[in-house]
């Protein structure tokens, strides 16, 4: 060979390039271009050396990102010329371990069409096998224990490959070439069915599960990131039994349908929702319920929407196909606990809920709940970002010069670790209210910091001193601590979601957040960027009679608002008559301030209106009263209440003004559904006018919307539309939730913006 005409290049590929078939892709590409060299994994990603003539090398390098596998995300590709060696052939070399880990791990992805075809073919050796996967699909994050991503660093290391699977794994022309979870019935995990006592039942485990579900029993099913509780969706008695055993009184259950056609019998699937429902991430998608949906009323009481997902594992596909009907598929836990993912723990915690267990012997290393999304203006609006999305990072246009750990909030907790230009927001942890959830939080931080080699120098946290996430942060040693105000973190999260550093007018509407003035904020207008904020407007503060009791009993917020507006002349409204016995005592708490912290919360305003309209006096889960108000609103109502939003403090008088309008219409016998719609429209219009007032004083013309209240798409649509009509540029969430699940990202980017690099 004339080495003078031969060139060699070293290529570094960074991004999600491990566990997605990138090495076999590179191998096939290189051999197709008749290049020599090698490809391998290391702790930074994928490394390649390729040798050949200059034109073929250039085309090869261009195709590395242009033709990358479906699940790959190439973030950065760098090349360096190196001396040619003249050695023939192209090979996949052994992965390299070491320090300085930069490799990314793919999220778990739904079973691909090729694997489904094999499972359906009677002559295929994987016919009906519930753990079929390949380089294009299957478990990833939930089975990974360490990097680089190789079989030996996953829970599949416990299953030695049979000769057939080993041949596929070693064959460059096979779809399972270097697919780390590859397996088959001869060498892979197997199903079992056990009763509530843990005793195995003979016969086909899948057939037993199908029979039990048809008979109206509850079956715990081990999935990718933990156990689910399944039962048929059309039997009210069965679903009610599940509610009673799980201690989940009214919060809607998720459903799983066999395919898109089956999903369409349950919900209306708009064109923009279809790719979300059928894509590789397979979240639960909240969609309008069909009037004739074959679903028990107790699945989603009083809700116009149903949360529907399609099967994302071979086991789910097999189960739904044989059952022939949709099922309830909800997290395997007692209410407020984290999802069970270890077999012994699942049997201990779920034995009093499930009648039997459809389980298997592939360990789950990281528990991961199902993700939940809504679709807004053709884009995803995350409600819970978890399975299918995590641990894919958010790559940002600014750097984290010092590694950051952000501990998130108390409810809907996530944490975030960040370095370089990447922020890794964790899977959904849940509400940090018990030991099990707190342990999931601390274990998750340990796993992420090890997996992505983040040694935090800065630990960011909420200002609320009683949040368990804050207490955890304050116990960390040898780090710089940084408190970030809750609503500033919300707006910073929206800025990061949109790769925009600000400044903006931030509208942060949520339940509660600790304000630096000692009150509880939640209906905020901020002039903000990543480094700081100024509070330029807010809803007027009202008392929360009984403190936390007012969160669980929205009628107390109704009493507070009505007393502030009418004093002793409150009209004889139904909410007053329903609580006549306790009304004076609750109003007394509000007036004296005894155990009645003042709050500007938009969430508590929604609670008050919901109770006044008779929707919810008490709630069994966070946000229930506000959700009911959105669900009750008449979609055909176009009118809205006109209340003052400007003045010396924009928005200050809007809450009381809206409540007064609600009362006037209720006394005039206007239908509550029309009142609910008018309230939404009135609040949205007040926000638009308030933003206009802030623009006049600051010159800011971009508005960022964040906080859990903006999961309400009725309010969100009216606010966004009004702002755009008024000439504003509007930022909304599409990659992380607007609720407290996005707080950790906001804390992280604020910490990065405020940090001064060492040296």
């Amino acid at each position: 060979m004339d080495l003078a005409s031969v060139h060699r290049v070293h290529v570094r590929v960074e991004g999600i390039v491990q566990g997605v078939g990138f090495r076999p892709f590179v191998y096939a590409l290189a051999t197709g271009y008749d290049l020599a060299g090698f490809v391998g994994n290391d702790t930074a990603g994928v490394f390649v050396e390729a040798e050949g003539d200059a034109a073929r090398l250039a085309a090869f390098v261009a195709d590395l990102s242009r033709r990358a596998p479906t699940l790959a995300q190439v973030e950065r590709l760098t090349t360096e010329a190196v001396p040619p060696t003249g050695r023939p052939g192209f090979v996949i070399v052994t992965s390299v371990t070491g320090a300085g880990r930069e490799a990314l791990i793919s999220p778990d992805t739904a079973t691909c069409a090729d694997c489904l075809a094999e499972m359906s073919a009677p002559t295929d050796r994987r016919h009906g096998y519930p753990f079929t996967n390949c380089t294009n699909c299957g478990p990833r994050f939930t089975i990974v224990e360490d990097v680089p991503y190789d079989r030996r660093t996953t829970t599949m290391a416990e299953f030695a490959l049979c000769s057939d699977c080993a041949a596929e794994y070693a064959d460059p022309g096979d779809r399972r070439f270097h697919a780390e979870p590859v397996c088959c019935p001869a060498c892979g995990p197997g199903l079992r069915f056990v009763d509530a006592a843990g005793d195995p039942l003979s016969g086909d485990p899948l057939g037993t599960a199908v029979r039990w579900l048809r008979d109206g029993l509850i079956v715990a099913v081990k999935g990718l990131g933990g156990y689910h509780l399944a039962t048929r969706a059309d039997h009210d008695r069965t679903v009610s039994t599940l509610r009673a055993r799980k201690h989940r009184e009214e919060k809607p259950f998720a459903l799983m349908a066999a395919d898109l056609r089956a999903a369409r019998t349950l919900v209306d699937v708009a064109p923009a929702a279809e790719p979300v429902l059928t894509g590789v991430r397979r979240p639960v998608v909240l969609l309008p319920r069909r009037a004739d949906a074959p679903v028990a009323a107790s699945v989603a009481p009083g809700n116009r929407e149903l949360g529907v997902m399609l099967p994302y594992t071979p086991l789910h596909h097999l189960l739904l196909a044989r059952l022939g009907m949709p099922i309830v598929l909800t997290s395997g836990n007692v209410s407020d606990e984290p999802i069970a993912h270890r077999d012994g723990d699942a049997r201990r915690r779920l034995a009093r809920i499930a009648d039997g267990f459809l389980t298997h012997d592939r360990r789950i290393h990281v528990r991961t709940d199902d993700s939940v999304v809504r679709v807004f203006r053709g884009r995803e609006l995350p409600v819970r970002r978890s399975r299918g999305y995590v641990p894919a990072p958010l790559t940002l246009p600014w750097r984290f010069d010092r590694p950051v750990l952000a501990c998130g909030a108390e409810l809907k907790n996530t944490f975030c670790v960040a370095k370089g230009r990447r922020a890794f927001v964790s899977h959904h942890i849940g509400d940090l209210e018990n030991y099990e959830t707190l342990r999931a939080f601390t274990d998750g931080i340990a796993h992420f910091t090890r997996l992505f080699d983040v040694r935090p120098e800065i630990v960011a946290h909420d200002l609320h001193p009683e949040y368990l996430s804050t207490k955890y942060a304050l116990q960390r040693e040898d780090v710089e601590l940084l408190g970030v105000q809750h609503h500033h973190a919300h707006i910073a999260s929206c800025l990061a979601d949109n790769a925009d550093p600000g400044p903006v007018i931030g509208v942060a509407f949520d339940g509660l957040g600790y304000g630096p003035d000692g009150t509880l904020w939640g209906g905020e207008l901020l002039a903000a960027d990543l480094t700081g904020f100024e509070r330029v407007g807010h809803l007027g503060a009202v008392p929360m009679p009984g403190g936390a009791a007012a969160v669980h009993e929205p009628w107390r917020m109704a009493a507070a608002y009505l007393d502030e507006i009418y004093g002793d002349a409150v009209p004889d409204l139904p909410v007053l008559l329903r609580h006549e016995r306790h009304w004076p005592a609750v109003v007394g708490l509000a007036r004296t301030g005894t155990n009645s912290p003042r709050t500007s919360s938009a969430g508590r305003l929604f609670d008050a209106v919901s109770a006044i309209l008779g929707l919810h006096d008490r709630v069994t889960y966070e946000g229930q009263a506000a959700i009911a108000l959105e669900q009750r609103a008449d979609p055909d109502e176009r009118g809205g209440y006109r209340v003052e939003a400007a003045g010396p403090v924009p928005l200050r008088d809007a809450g009381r003004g809206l409540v007064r309008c609600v009362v006037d219409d209720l006394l005039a016998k206007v239908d509550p559904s029309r009142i609910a719609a008018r309230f939404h429209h009135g609040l949205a219009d007040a926000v638009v006018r308030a933003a206009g007032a802030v623009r006049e004083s600051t010159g800011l013309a971009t508005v960022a919307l964040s906080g859990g209240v903006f999961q309400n798409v009725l309010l969100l649509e009216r606010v966004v539309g009004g702002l755009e009509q008024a000439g504003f540029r509007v930022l909304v969430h599409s990659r992380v939730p607007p609720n407290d699940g996005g707080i950790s990202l906001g804390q992280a980017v604020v910490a990065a913006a405020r940090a001064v690099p060492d040296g």
Side-chain angles (χ1 to χ4, degrees):
M1 177 183 293
D2 181 9
L3 291 183
S5 63
V6 173
H7 300 266
R8 189 176 182 92
V9 63
H10 177 85
V11 185
R12 161 67 58 194
V13 190
E14 299 173 48
I16 298 180
V17 290
Q18 294 190 12
V20 294
F22 204 87
R23 287 175 299 170
F25 155 72
V26 173
Y27 177 93
L29 191 64
T31 53
Y33 277 113
D34 195 25
L35 301 175
F38 56 81
V39 60
N41 281 345
D42 63 13
T43 52
V46 169
F47 58 89
V48 184
E49 286 200 11
E51 184 170 314
D53 71 57
R56 289 201 301 269
L57 273 177
F60 166 77
V61 171
D63 282 349
L64 285 175
S65 55
R66 187 171 57 203
R67 293 170 54 189
T70 302
L71 301 183
Q73 294 181 26
V74 177
E75 288 187 355
R76 188 163 176 252
L77 190 150
T78 56
T79 61
E80 178 186 3
V82 294
T85 67
R87 287 192 287 271
F90 197 93
V91 296
I92 294 179
V93 298
T94 303
S95 296
V96 177
T97 59
R101 305 174 185 183
E102 297 291 340
L104 303 180
I105 304 299
S106 167
D108 303 84
T109 54
T111 310
C112 70
D114 289 332
C115 284
L116 288 176
E118 290 175 341
M119 291 164 54
S120 300
T123 58
D124 194 281
R125 69 191 186 91
R126 291 187 174 87
H127 174 63
Y129 183 54
F131 304 97
T132 302
N133 66 82
C134 70
T135 55
N136 300 318
C137 67
R140 297 293 192 272
F141 173 59
T142 51
I143 64 170
V144 170
E145 296 179 312
D146 209 340
V147 291
Y149 176 74
D150 284 313
R151 192 180 184 93
R152 61 187 171 81
T153 59
T154 74
T155 61
M156 286 298 294
E158 298 159 17
F159 300 94
L161 292 174
C162 68
S163 58
D164 288 335
C165 285
E168 292 172 332
Y169 184 87
D171 180 1
D174 195 278
R175 194 174 86 254
R176 295 186 171 88
F177 186 43
H178 280 255
E180 306 307 343
V182 63
C183 59
C184 74
C187 64
L191 283 181
R192 293 180 298 136
F193 194 96
V194 301
D195 63 20
D199 296 325
L201 276 65
S202 60
D204 172 27
L206 189 63
T208 302
V210 169
R211 188 171 66 253
W212 283 38
L213 288 170
R214 281 182 180 155
D215 289 344
L217 298 175
I218 298 167
V219 177
V221 180
K222 187 177 181 181
L224 274 180
Y227 278 79
H228 288 94
L229 294 163
T231 196
R232 57 187 299 170
D234 59 344
H235 276 195
D236 200 73
R237 176 187 56 80
T238 301
V239 178
S240 297
T241 299
L242 176 57
R243 285 200 176 280
R245 293 181 184 178
K246 190 176 160 71
H247 304 303
R248 182 164 166 165
E249 296 178 38
E250 296 172 292
K251 191 174 184 180
F253 284 137
L255 300 173
M256 179 174 277
D259 51 32
L260 183 59
R261 184 170 60 86
R264 291 189 190 278
T265 69
L266 306 174
V267 290
D268 293 325
V269 184
E274 185 174 327
V276 181
L277 194 62
T278 61
V280 297
R281 291 167 167 171
R282 296 289 165 98
V284 177
V285 186
L286 302 178
L287 294 166
R289 177 179 186 153
R290 287 179 57 94
D292 58 350
V295 173
S298 53
V299 167
N303 207 304
R304 294 176 183 167
E305 294 181 324
L306 294 174
V308 178
M309 60 181 154
L310 300 186
Y312 54 86
T313 71
L315 177 57
H316 291 134
H317 279 283
L318 294 168
L319 183 64
L320 270 293
R322 288 177 64 171
L323 186 62
M325 65 181 72
I327 58 173
V328 167
L329 199 69
T330 186
S331 299
N333 58 5
V334 176
S335 225
D336 299 327
E337 290 183 355
I339 187 172
H341 71 297
R342 293 191 175 94
D343 297 336
D345 181 53
R347 283 196 293 273
R348 177 180 62 82
R349 291 166 55 197
L350 304 181
R352 283 177 280 189
I353 304 176
D355 299 300
F357 292 75
L358 181 61
T359 185
H360 57 77
D361 53 351
R362 184 179 69 205
R363 281 193 302 112
I364 299 169
H365 186 65
V366 180
R367 73 175 103 219
T368 312
D369 282 277
D370 293 317
S371 296
V372 181
V373 304
R374 303 185 86 166
V375 177
F376 176 72
R377 292 192 168 190
R379 301 170 68 196
E380 293 183 28
L381 176 66
V383 175
R384 184 167 73 194
R385 181 182 181 271
S386 205
R387 177 195 48 78
Y389 297 79
V390 175
L394 280 79
T395 303
L396 301 173
W398 49 82
R399 289 187 58 82
F400 295 86
D401 291 311
R402 299 169 65 190
V404 173
L405 163 65
C407 296
E410 184 85 345
L411 302 180
K412 298 180 175 64
N413 176 270
T414 63
F415 60 84
C416 177
V417 298
K419 67 175 183 178
R421 295 187 185 276
R422 293 172 178 157
F424 299 88
V425 179
S426 77
H427 48 299
H428 170 77
I429 302 297
D431 298 348
L432 298 182
E433 296 178 338
N434 58 56
Y435 172 76
E436 285 291 339
T437 315
L438 183 62
R439 181 178 174 183
F441 170 77
T442 57
D443 288 351
I445 290 174
H447 186 54
F448 266 60
T449 53
R450 183 178 71 253
L451 206 60
F452 302 116
D453 194 30
V454 178
R455 298 176 177 84
E457 295 179 13
I458 303 173
V459 174
H461 59 85
D462 197 272
L463 296 182
H464 200 302
E466 293 304 313
Y467 281 3
L468 293 181
S469 56
T470 301
K471 291 181 177 181
Y472 168 86
L474 297 178
Q475 292 171 357
R476 297 276 304 215
E477 297 180 350
D478 301 322
V479 295
E480 179 182 329
L481 295 172
L482 178 69
V484 181
Q485 199 278 325
H486 190 89
H487 300 94
H488 183 210
H490 268 309
I491 300 306
S493 170
C494 188
L495 290 173
D497 200 333
N498 289 275
D500 188 322
V504 295
I505 301 169
V507 185
F509 279 9
D510 65 357
L512 294 171
Y514 197 76
D517 62 356
T519 66
L520 298 175
W521 291 10
E524 308 308 312
L525 283 177
L526 309 178
D529 58 16
L530 296 179
T531 58
F533 71 94
E534 179 187 358
R535 192 188 196 195
V536 292
H538 57 84
L539 291 172
V542 296
M544 286 177 56
V551 177
H552 302 295
E553 299 181 3
W555 75 267
R556 291 172 176 258
M557 291 308 305
Y561 265 100
L562 292 172
D563 184 61
E564 293 240 334
I565 296 168
Y566 298 101
D568 292 328
V570 176
D572 288 335
L573 297 168
V575 65
L576 187 155
L577 299 177
R578 290 194 302 272
H579 300 282
E580 192 171 11
R581 179 181 173 190
H582 300 290
W583 196 272
V586 167
V587 168
L589 289 176
R591 290 179 178 179
T592 62
T594 305
N595 191 24
S596 298
R598 296 186 70 82
T599 181
S600 58
S601 165
R604 301 289 80 82
L605 172 61
F606 271 80
D607 285 353
V609 174
S610 186
I612 290 169
L613 294 184
L615 303 182
H616 278 287
D617 286 352
R618 294 177 175 82
V619 297
T620 60
Y621 62 91
E622 195 255 340
Q624 183 179 9
I627 291 169
L629 193 61
E630 178 191 4
Q631 295 296 321
R632 186 62 182 270
D634 183 349
D636 296 324
E637 173 64 46
R638 295 293 176 263
Y641 300 128
R642 176 80 181 187
V643 296
E644 290 304 316
V649 180
L651 271 185
R652 185 180 61 186
D653 299 323
R656 294 178 181 85
L658 287 166
V659 170
R660 185 183 289 275
C661 291
V662 166
V663 170
D664 289 346
D665 266 0
L666 191 61
L667 292 173
K669 308 298 183 184
V670 176
D671 188 283
S673 64
R674 296 182 65 190
I675 297 175
R678 291 173 179 179
F679 166 77
H680 278 84
H681 298 162
L683 178 59
D685 295 347
V687 169
V688 173
R689 291 195 303 277
V694 175
R695 177 170 57 187
E696 289 182 9
S697 62
T698 65
L700 297 174
T702 298
V703 178
L705 306 176
S706 193
V709 170
F710 284 114
Q711 291 170 175
N712 180 324
V713 293
L714 172 60
L715 180 72
L716 185 63
E717 178 60 53
R718 183 84 172 206
V719 171
V720 171
L723 288 169
E724 289 176 342
Q725 192 172 11
F728 285 98
R729 174 172 169 258
V730 187
L731 307 179
V732 299
H733 286 269
S734 64
R735 297 193 290 172
V736 296
N739 62 39
D740 282 6
I743 282 282
S744 63
L745 174 64
Q747 293 171 343
V749 295
V750 169
R754 291 181 183 172
V756 178
D758 289 339

